[in-house]
């Protein structure tokens, strides 16, 4: 009786090398109830952007949306895992970011000269882009990239607003 040698056969199969990658942006802190724009992108290993892909968002609060650029707001304070999934044919990729939704800690004062003052008590810088000062039947929308530094105040004159603020003037979410 002779003993044969058994050859060891590996059943290991290397995982496929990803072709498509997703980028949902950076983690960030937002204000509860305020609309936030999220932008996603798909790219190849070569870092070339892929244009014709499906972008699906899960906002971590039960809501979903589709599109490379979407707007969403969180109704309640908390930490949310937001997932972007991109798909092209049979290739898919996902990325997740963390959104922290906090209540606004802003003060709003109408100045005696018809201007306004917005104070930031949040303990961090706040993005007030597209927030609206509304009064006297008119409105002023803060431009994109309007950041209010932690502990600082923003004063705007009636001339900048385009109207004289009064007791009925309000600061509103976008």
């Amino acid at each position: 009786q002779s003993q044969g040698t058994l050859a060891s056969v590996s059943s290991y199969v290397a995982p496929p090398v990803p072709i498509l990658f997703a980028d949902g942006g950076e983690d960030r802190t937002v204000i509860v109830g305020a609309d936030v724009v999220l932008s996603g992108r798909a790219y190849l290993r070569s870092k070339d952007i892929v244009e014709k892909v499906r972008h699906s968002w899960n906002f971590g609060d039960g809501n979903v949306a589709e599109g490379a650029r979407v707007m969403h707001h969180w109704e309640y304070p908390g930490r949310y895992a937001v997932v972007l999934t991109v798909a092209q044919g049979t290739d898919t990729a996902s990325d997740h970011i963390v959104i922290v939704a906090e209540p606004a800690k802003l003060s709003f004062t109408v100045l005696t000269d018809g201007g306004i003052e917005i104070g930031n008590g949040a303990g961090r810088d706040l993005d007030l882009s597209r927030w609206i000062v509304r009064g006297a039947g008119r409105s002023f929308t803060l431009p994109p990239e309007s950041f209010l530094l932690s502990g600082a105040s923003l004063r705007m004159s009636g001339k900048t607003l385009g109207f004289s603020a009064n007791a009925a003037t309000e600061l509103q979410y976008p």
Side-chain angles (χ1 to χ4, degrees), residues 77-105:
R79 293 182 74 230
Y80 298 90
V82 176
V83 179
L84 166 66
T85 301
V86 295
Q88 182 182 50
T90 59
D91 294 322
T92 63
S94 294
D95 185 30
H96 84 276
I97 61 174
V98 176
I99 297 290
V100 177
E102 295 180 345
K105 294 179 183 164

Side-chain angles (χ1 to χ4, degrees), residues 2-84:
S2 71
Q3 289 195 335
T5 52
L6 296 174
S8 173
V9 178
S10 172
S11 62
Y12 174 77
V13 176
V17 176
I19 296 171
L20 191 64
F21 298 87
D23 181 7
E26 298 294 320
D27 295 351
R28 57 194 200 189
T29 301
V30 301
I31 295 173
V32 171
D35 286 336
V36 176
V37 174
L38 298 171
S39 296
R41 65 186 182 104
Y43 60 96
L44 303 173
R45 190 176 308 110
S46 63
K47 303 293 183 197
D48 292 329
I49 300 294
V50 181
E51 297 294 336
K52 295 184 179 184
V53 296
R54 179 179 173 199
H55 294 77
S56 300
W57 295 88
N58 180 328
F59 300 112
D61 63 354
N63 291 291
V64 295
E66 293 208 11
R69 186 173 166 90
V70 296
M71 194 175 311
H72 185 68
H73 68 269
W74 286 264
E75 298 286 338
Y76 302 103
R79 293 182 74 230
Y80 298 90
V82 176
V83 179
L84 166 66

